[in-house]
Amino acid sequence: MTDDEILLGLALTVVLATGSQILANKLRVPALIILLPVGFAVGAMTDVVHPDRLLGPDFSALVSLSVAVILYDAGLGLDLRKLAHQGIVIRLLVYGVLLTFLVTGAVAPALFDMPLRVAAMLGMILVVSGPTVVGPILDVVRPSEKVRRILIWEGTLTDPIGAILGALTFHAVASSHRIDIGRGYQLGQFALSLAFGLLGGAVGTALLWFTLRTLRLGEILGTLAQLAIVIGVSAGCDIVRDDTGLIAAIVAGLAVSNIRGFDMPARRPFLETLVHLIIGLLFISLSSTVTPASLVPVLLPALGLVVILVLAVRPIVALGAAARSDLSRGERAFIGWMDPRGIVAAATASAFSSGLVERGVPGAAKILPVTFLVIVATVLLYALTAAPMARRLGVVKAEGTRILLVGGEPWVVDLGRALRSAGLDMLMWAGLHEERERIRGAGLNLAKGDLLATAINPGARLEGVTAVFLATDDDDFNALASIVMQDNVEGPVYRVGPPHESHGVVAPYTGGDILFGHSLVRHVLAERYERGARFTVQPSSAPLPPEHDTLFVVRADRRLDPVTERKPAAPHEGDTVVLLGPVPTAAGR
């Protein structure tokens, strides 16, 4: 390729990867639904995006290191303290790997006219799922937290296990005409790979502790150090033993997330942006290598395999894994209806298929198109059916609005009372004993004393809270807390505005969305309340009284829309409004 073609190919890949994810976000569908067809289409129209032409034989190594970064980031989101169903997750992993491998290996020779050893390779590739697919689907569905954690843990842990088992199967297939290596040898090789990956993870964890805790690097250098360590350790492990770098990466991520002292921030914008870019680039690149000519002969058999995996294999795995557990029937059924394939399946299929094709193994060329079709079909099927299935099974989180109002000043407590009278589920928190007693005296629900400390911990999550309003008398605290809590709440975080011309450290310059606009900042609200203004609730159809300001609109379905600096809330028929204004005097009545 010429330099101009290489530049065009690289630029086109980045643009398509980014544009596809933006479109998927707007359509509220998993990015894979857009990325895979786009990559396939552009690969059919031009070869400038083909990774084999752009990068040559180095592409497989880049894929391995990229997947390691993805799994490290996934490990950072796994809190062992929140995994209350370890047994179910372990059984899902064991039963899922075994049954998927055995069933696929048994039916693939008849479906795709391939040798048993190639069918075994395909079966091992398809055992993996992945957080990059499961997570976005669950974000749309919003199942119970218990179900969400089980599925995310399963998807994250199955990727490195499947990759290692795939590597062992690849070497067995490539080195013999039959898979005739003894089971004891294979188990020993797997144990050796697992041990080496764990050792690499321990080394990575020690290096991360040194850079993040001992050297105390800032956000930018700290993120660069994490990338360098994860890539370096993963590459070193893979050099010594194939695919052990993936285990090292996820172990390092788990360690950083769960060992006290690391204190990773809940928001990692640079690393998260990089992971999203990597996912987009990988799927565009990998899917561009699949040709229409390779898809047509395996299309119908692949759909048949999907039916077997979705309607037989996964329900049996979920039924066995959840047996004698406290999961409800609906939760068990939903877990049995969630097993999409993702980036690791695509990456391992690309690497192992090309390796077997180079060795002249018959039928190996079918592995990649079959895997591609299984990924597209499972992601599309689960993305379109997961939400209605969850509603039918009764595992969707209850809709509604639960507000956490932070602050204990008299006007804040009165605001909480008004919001409660509008039919909202209110929870309040304050730090001072006097303020907490004032909240109790008003009959409002008072959160535990350590709730806010928990909420601002990295990676913590305020379950059930759909919006937070920060209204303490410390503007800097409101600004800082709004930043830290953004990723710990299911909904938005708002704060009251600081005084104009404020000389606070951070409040005038940063923080969450400002409540009530520029005119009703914190000290103005407090002063108007002291002068006799009060919060009132009335139907939106009633005329707005003189000298009253609209603060909130409570929708007919109990959703709360606050008036903010960025967005006025327009009431509609059937809504309720919360106002601030003077109390009518006896003479004016």
Side-chain angles (χ1 to χ4, degrees):
M1 296 181 70
T2 66
D3 290 345
D4 289 343
E5 289 176 326
I6 293 174
L7 285 174
L8 176 61
L10 293 174
L12 186 59
T13 304
V14 172
V15 170
L16 291 175
T18 305
S20 298
Q21 294 189 76
I22 293 174
L23 178 60
N25 177 265
K26 294 302 180 183
L27 297 176
R28 291 181 61 80
V29 297
L32 265 69
I33 292 180
I34 309 295
L35 286 167
L36 288 176
V38 168
F40 170 70
V42 73
M45 291 186 292
T46 177
D47 59 358
V48 297
V49 297
H50 286 193
D52 293 337
R53 296 200 64 197
L54 284 173
L55 302 171
D58 300 328
F59 178 64
S60 61
L62 290 175
V63 169
S64 178
L65 295 179
S66 298
V67 173
V69 173
I70 293 172
L71 291 182
Y72 170 74
D73 181 69
L76 291 177
L78 298 179
D79 189 345
L80 291 170
R81 291 163 293 188
K82 294 183 178 180
L83 180 59
H85 295 81
Q86 298 96 326
I88 296 177
V89 174
I90 292 172
R91 288 193 292 272
L92 282 172
L93 292 172
V94 174
Y95 299 167
V97 168
L98 288 176
L99 197 58
T100 303
F101 171 70
L102 293 175
V103 170
T104 303
V107 303
L111 287 175
F112 305 108
D113 189 25
M114 59 174 55
L116 178 61
R117 56 192 178 129
V118 176
M121 184 75 262
L122 176 64
M124 197 54 73
I125 289 171
L126 295 180
V127 303
V128 298
S129 177
T132 59
V133 193
V134 176
I137 294 177
L138 297 182
D139 287 340
V140 175
V141 176
R142 297 182 70 250
S144 66
E145 198 65 25
K146 184 194 308 181
V147 171
R148 177 185 175 85
R149 288 173 183 166
I150 290 173
L151 290 172
I152 289 292
W153 272 90
E154 180 203 8
T156 303
L157 295 179
T158 192
D159 277 357
I161 294 173
I164 286 181
L165 291 173
L168 294 175
T169 305
F170 169 78
H171 291 303
V173 171
S175 61
S176 63
H177 293 289
R178 300 185 311 276
I179 304 180
D180 54 6
I181 299 177
R183 279 177 288 180
Y185 175 82
Q186 290 286 355
L187 290 174
Q189 291 298 306
F190 175 74
L192 186 59
S193 296
L194 183 62
F196 201 86
L198 293 173
L199 178 62
V203 172
T205 302
L207 292 173
L208 287 166
W209 182 274
F210 175 72
T211 55
L212 299 179
R213 292 293 299 163
T214 305
L215 298 182
R216 294 191 174 275
L217 301 177
E219 179 181 343
I220 295 176
L221 288 179
T223 302
L224 291 176
Q226 290 178 72
L227 288 173
I229 291 170
V230 171
I231 291 174
V233 170
S234 298
C237 290
D238 284 344
I239 290 171
V240 177
R241 194 162 185 85
D242 288 342
D243 289 310
T244 54
L246 300 184
I247 284 191
I250 197 170
V251 167
L254 280 168
V256 172
S257 176
N258 291 276
I259 294 178
R260 291 179 180 270
F262 272 111
D263 296 331
M264 286 291 293
R267 302 185 69 191
R268 305 177 297 275
F270 178 79
L271 187 58
E272 292 168 0
T273 302
L274 180 63
V275 168
H276 276 83
L277 179 60
I278 289 174
I279 291 171
L281 295 177
L282 286 181
F283 274 115
I284 292 293
S285 299
L286 292 172
S287 57
S288 70
T289 63
V290 181
T291 63
S294 66
L295 288 177
V296 173
V298 298
L299 177 58
L300 292 179
L303 294 179
L305 177 61
V306 169
V307 170
I308 294 172
L309 293 175
V310 170
L311 298 183
V313 174
R314 181 61 182 185
I316 293 173
V317 169
L319 182 65
R324 297 183 300 278
S325 71
D326 62 347
L327 295 180
S328 67
R329 182 177 298 178
E331 289 170 334
R332 299 181 191 193
F334 185 75
I335 291 174
W337 190 255
M338 186 56 55
D339 192 26
R341 272 62 179 179
I343 185 63
V344 174
T348 53
S350 176
F352 298 149
S353 173
S354 61
L356 294 179
V357 169
E358 289 175 0
R359 289 167 171 80
V361 177
K366 297 179 181 179
I367 292 177
L368 185 58
V370 170
T371 304
F372 175 87
L373 290 170
V374 171
I375 292 173
V376 172
T378 54
V379 172
L380 190 62
L381 174 67
Y382 290 126
L384 295 177
T385 62
M389 182 67 73
R391 288 193 293 269
R392 184 178 181 85
L393 296 173
V395 298
V396 180
K397 286 183 180 178
E399 292 291 339
T401 300
R402 190 180 203 201
I403 305 300
L404 173 62
L405 180 58
V406 180
E409 294 291 310
W411 73 269
V412 179
V413 177
D414 198 28
L415 175 60
R417 239 188 325 236
L419 291 172
R420 183 184 62 181
S421 69
L424 298 175
D425 184 8
M426 294 300 300
L427 180 67
M428 291 195 66
W429 183 92
L432 297 178
H433 175 74
E434 176 187 354
E435 294 176 338
R436 295 178 68 82
E437 288 301 315
R438 186 179 294 130
I439 294 170
R440 287 194 183 95
L444 294 165
N445 292 329
L446 180 64
K448 294 180 180 179
D450 62 348
L451 178 133
L452 207 65
T454 300
I456 61 177
N457 276 338
R461 197 165 178 84
L462 282 180
E463 295 179 15
V465 174
T466 56
V468 176
F469 299 138
L470 296 160
T472 73
D473 59 358
D474 188 333
D475 298 310
D476 283 339
F477 170 84
N478 294 337
L480 288 171
S482 66
I483 296 172
V484 175
M485 294 176 69
Q486 286 288 348
D487 288 345
N488 301 354
V489 181
E490 295 178 5
V493 178
Y494 304 94
R495 64 179 175 119
V496 293
H500 301 302
E501 307 299 330
S502 170
H503 296 288
V505 177
V506 295
Y509 313 109
T510 187
D513 203 358
I514 302 295
L515 286 169
F516 317 137
H518 286 292
S519 59
L520 290 177
V521 295
R522 177 184 56 79
H523 75 288
V524 172
L525 290 164
E527 289 173 1
R528 285 183 61 175
Y529 187 83
E530 290 176 2
R531 292 199 303 266
R534 290 296 180 266
F535 301 100
T536 57
V537 178
Q538 69 175 38
S540 62
S541 56
L544 183 69
E547 301 181 36
H548 278 64
D549 295 289
T550 302
L551 305 183
F552 298 95
V553 177
V554 182
R555 303 300 180 187
D557 59 359
R558 290 293 178 264
R559 288 184 299 108
L560 182 64
D561 282 345
V563 174
T564 69
E565 190 176 50
R566 302 173 186 170
K567 185 188 71 172
H572 304 295
E573 185 67 28
D575 294 343
T576 303
V577 292
V578 179
L579 311 173
L580 174 66
V583 177
T585 61
R589 289 175 184 169

